Amino acid sequence: MTEKEIMRHVDHTQLKAFATWEDIKKLCDEAVEYQTASVCIPPCYIQRVKEAYGEQINICTVVGFPLGYSVTEAKIAETKKALEDGASEIDMVINISDVKNGDYAAVEKEIAALKEVVGDKILKVIIETCYLTEEEKIAMCKAVTVAGADYIKTSTGFGTAGATISDIRLFKENIGEHVKMKAAGGVKTVEDLEAFLQEGCDRIGTSSAVKLIQGHKTNEY
């Protein structure tokens, strides 16, 4: 795949707790230069990025991040504020406790509630695969599908592990036709980027894509 083809699928990400405006500005400048799918940034920076970059950048943010156990009402409030400030994509974390308690219906209901708020904008659902059994992952594929979300996403990048090819293959077997896939966490090489895209991921969430691409170019030349 070409550099441009890869970067069109990247959610260029900076979600560290100590991210400064200079960090965010660097991320956004790279996103403009490399034409990434979006920047994924903390909610507190959405308005400032929107004012500084306007329509040059597609803004993604996170809700209920990274642990997922905020009550639904809080996630709805976060989502409404993010959209008001200028985000067009929301990456929500499911309530993993509900999954572990076997209350899959509660998870589905919460996803549907956030999708109603998001409307025609994009909702991605982070299920944090590192904490789930195969049965639970399959149940989440079904919940994401039935609730009408746009993407299922593997990981926050803050859990004990990130995306794996085996999880993406499991997703493919169990999600509905309208649901796309996003891999995040553990993407460490250009080969990883290509592998996840070739397996059918539409997006990859990583803070390293530009460095990886630059390193790849340097290695070749």
Side-chain angles (χ1 to χ4, degrees), residues 112-131:
L114 263 68
K115 182 56 186 174
E116 184 175 355
V117 174
V118 170
D120 61 359
K121 293 184 169 61
I122 290 174
L123 178 65
K124 309 191 199 93
V125 180
I126 306 170
I127 70 167
E128 200 69 295
T129 49
C130 61
Y131 298 136

Side-chain angles (χ1 to χ4, degrees), residues 97-170:
S97 296
D98 281 343
V99 180
K100 296 317 243 182
N101 288 325
D103 196 352
Y104 304 150
V107 180
E108 182 184 316
K109 183 178 179 182
E110 180 173 89
I111 297 168
L114 263 68
K115 182 56 186 174
E116 184 175 355
V117 174
V118 170
D120 61 359
K121 293 184 169 61
I122 290 174
L123 178 65
K124 309 191 199 93
V125 180
I126 306 170
I127 70 167
E128 200 69 295
T129 49
C130 61
Y131 298 136
L132 306 185
T133 65
E134 182 169 313
E135 177 187 337
E136 289 164 346
K137 292 171 191 176
I138 291 170
M140 289 305 94
C141 287
K142 293 176 181 176
V144 169
T145 300
V146 174
D150 302 284
Y151 285 77
I152 186 168
K153 177 179 170 182
T154 60
S155 320
T156 61
F158 288 74
T160 55
T164 65
I165 293 295
S166 60
D167 280 335
I168 294 303
R169 289 173 179 167
L170 185 69

Side-chain angles (χ1 to χ4, degrees), residues 9-13 153 182-187 203-208:
H9 294 280
V10 169
D11 288 343
H12 197 27
T13 302
K153 177 179 170 182
K182 177 176 173 179
V187 181
R203 296 286 184 90
I204 296 177
T206 176
S207 59
S208 304

